Amino acid sequence: MYAKRLDNLPPYLFAQIDKLKTEKRAEGVDIIDLGVGDPDLPTPPHIVEALCEAVRDPSTHHYPDYTGMIQYREAVASWYKSRFDVDLDPKTEVLALIGSKEGIAHVPEAFVNPGEYVLVPDPGYPVYKTSTLFAEGKVWEMPLSEENKFLPDLDAIPADVLKNASLMFIGYPNNPTAAIAPLSFFNEVVEFARENGIVVVHDNAYSEITFDGYKAPSFLQADGAKEVGMEMHSLSKTYNMTGWRLGMAAGGEEFISGLGRVKTNIDSGAFDAIQRAGITALTSSQQSVADACKVYQERRDILISGLKGLGFDVAAPKATFYVWMKVPDSMSFARKMLDEAGIVVTPGTGFGRNGEGYVRFAITRDTNRISEALERMRRIDF
Ligand SMILES: Cc1ncc(COP(=O)(O)O)c(C=O)c1O
């Protein structure tokens, strides 16, 4: 009944974890869910208000513009200018997305012929691989290792792969490793992409979730970035809007146009009322973002010092709401946490085989729950 391409997909780990979680809850277990990266904090009230107002205006009830409202694209361009000092033409270099996952999932359709390689970080956000497989491309895993600060080693990619590679995904601040990348790395990537004729998609979903004064760069700040690719961004993590489904692609005109051609044939754009709320999010005070980072930073500090106290080898991340921790065996550690303590963490292998030896904690629960999780962990014999 199902098409063969479904057989090629790895199982979506989060769906499996959801199933286990539901089973445990049905048994009456009080689950502490540090699994999926979905902020527990609400969308700031001024953004909610903007949506309510917009949705009462019947002009928002029609099919949206395929590429996004021009006012939304202008808001994205002005946010990029003020945040990163990057100039974008809102008409040709910005595209509205129904969440960045949607954009990422459609990119290979535009740039990858069947049988061509896509360079994908491993561990990495699972959609890079699955979208490659949907487009009948071939996945080339770029291992992210601690020795290389969880950056891919571009020199390690074989020449015969490079000859047949058309696309590369990267993303910093990184999910799941929480690693950050300096602008110099993005400059190297631009050079590499130019030499090898590869389109680069940088996934910058976490650029605003940063700590200790760190400010994450945009890939588009690298010299010539717009000549080789584009950046995916999202309002999901920055403004606690995961359920709203609004994001953007920004970058070189031909790349934005290629993705736009695919999307025009598949979806009919993001709801105008949500785009109007998105304009408010991007153009009004960013205090709520700073406040959220403070909340995550406090949680991070509690979790890291608790885990260190338990004898684990773990570093405090500078960005993202994830903690990537070394363990002897990913799957059995995650299983033990769930079975013996009712805590959900994500095994590193869910992000690719190079995630073996790690688990990911999402600090999307309040400090009481994080302290409670540490208390429960104290009782486990690891
Ligand atoms: C690295 C990364 N990119 C993209 C996304 C997708 O976010 P959204 O589709 O909500 O914009 C996520 C969500 O977890 C993510 O972790």
Side-chain angles (χ1 to χ4, degrees), residues 105-377:
H106 287 136
V107 158
E109 298 287 351
F111 302 103
V112 181
N113 289 305
E116 288 176 355
Y117 277 110
V118 178
L119 312 177
V120 174
D122 183 303
Y125 181 55
V127 185
Y128 308 145
K129 276 187 193 169
T130 50
S131 60
T132 299
L133 296 172
F134 273 129
E136 297 176 28
K138 286 201 288 199
V139 170
W140 182 262
E141 291 168 0
M142 301 184 290
L144 305 186
S145 68
E146 196 167 344
E147 301 79 68
N148 207 34
K149 299 187 171 152
F150 298 109
L151 299 172
D153 178 359
L154 303 178
D155 295 333
I157 304 166
D160 58 329
V161 170
L162 285 178
K163 244 196 295 177
N164 195 26
S166 43
L167 177 67
M168 172 179 182
F169 285 109
I170 48 168
Y172 295 92
N174 185 256
N175 175 18
T177 67
I180 55 175
L183 187 53
S184 57
F185 170 70
F186 293 154
N187 280 318
E188 276 171 43
V189 169
V190 171
E191 214 39 56
F192 169 85
R194 264 202 195 120
E195 274 167 26
N196 296 290
I198 291 171
V199 176
V200 177
V201 171
H202 180 249
D203 179 1
N204 209 3
Y206 296 93
S207 70
E208 304 315 292
I209 312 298
T210 58
F211 315 122
D212 309 324
Y214 172 70
K215 280 227 167 249
S218 161
F219 175 67
L220 301 180
Q221 285 173 286
D223 292 333
K226 279 201 245 175
E227 291 153 37
V228 298
M230 63 185 148
E231 181 159 274
M232 298 296 172
H233 220 303
S234 169
L235 278 69
S236 287
K237 320 286 173 170
T238 310
Y239 305 106
N240 312 321
M241 288 172 69
T242 49
W244 297 53
R245 315 309 305 133
L246 188 61
M248 59 276 215
E253 178 173 350
E254 54 189 323
F255 308 108
I256 294 297
S257 160
L259 176 58
R261 278 170 67 187
V262 173
K263 278 173 56 57
T264 306
N265 287 287
I266 292 177
D267 66 66
S268 297
F271 182 19
D272 273 353
I274 291 180
Q275 291 189 61
R276 283 213 208 158
I279 295 169
T280 298
L282 291 167
T283 58
S284 58
S285 160
Q286 301 295 296
Q287 188 55 44
S288 69
V289 185
D291 294 345
C293 289
K294 245 166 97 180
V295 168
Y296 293 130
Q297 187 168 322
E298 189 191 356
R299 294 174 180 179
R300 175 201 69 168
D301 292 344
I302 290 171
L303 182 62
I304 295 289
S305 84
L307 292 172
K308 282 190 169 157
L310 288 168
F312 290 106
D313 176 6
V314 64
K318 286 269 178 251
T320 77
F321 39 62
Y322 302 117
V323 167
W324 185 240
M325 186 177 85
K326 250 192 196 145
V327 292
D329 180 292
S330 301
M331 230 24 217
S332 61
F333 185 94
R335 216 42 231 241
K336 210 173 172 83
M337 289 280 274
L338 186 61
D339 289 339
E340 296 182 30
I343 301 167
V344 177
V345 293
T346 311
T349 42
F351 302 99
R353 59 195 167 128
N354 293 290
E356 178 51 55
Y358 293 88
V359 289
R360 190 194 74 175
F361 292 77
I363 46 175
T364 48
R365 293 293 172 261
D366 67 25
T367 52
N368 288 336
R369 290 300 267 172
I370 290 174
S371 300
E372 160 80 21
L374 288 163
E375 202 47 53
R376 290 187 196 178
M377 284 178 75

Side-chain angles (χ1 to χ4, degrees), residues 30-150:
D30 169 29
I31 296 284
I32 302 178
D33 189 353
L34 305 176
V36 181
D38 187 353
D40 57 320
L41 306 170
T43 307
H46 65 288
I47 302 173
V48 175
E49 276 312 311
L51 173 74
C52 293
E53 203 178 300
V55 83
R56 281 191 206 102
D57 175 353
S59 76
T60 64
H61 299 176
H62 303 284
Y63 283 122
D65 185 309
Y66 286 112
T67 54
M69 295 171 72
I70 184 63
Q71 296 89 340
Y72 174 69
R73 288 179 282 141
E74 282 165 359
V76 168
S78 75
W79 182 80
Y80 258 88
K81 181 68 187 168
S82 64
R83 173 63 181 84
F84 299 114
D85 198 22
V86 164
D87 290 303
L88 290 168
D89 179 344
K91 289 199 189 76
T92 57
E93 296 179 330
V94 179
L95 181 66
L97 300 175
I98 310 169
S100 60
K101 181 178 186 179
E102 178 266 302
I104 292 164
H106 287 136
V107 158
E109 298 287 351
F111 302 103
V112 181
N113 289 305
E116 288 176 355
Y117 277 110
V118 178
L119 312 177
V120 174
D122 183 303
Y125 181 55
V127 185
Y128 308 145
K129 276 187 193 169
T130 50
S131 60
T132 299
L133 296 172
F134 273 129
E136 297 176 28
K138 286 201 288 199
V139 170
W140 182 262
E141 291 168 0
M142 301 184 290
L144 305 186
S145 68
E146 196 167 344
E147 301 79 68
N148 207 34
K149 299 187 171 152
F150 298 109

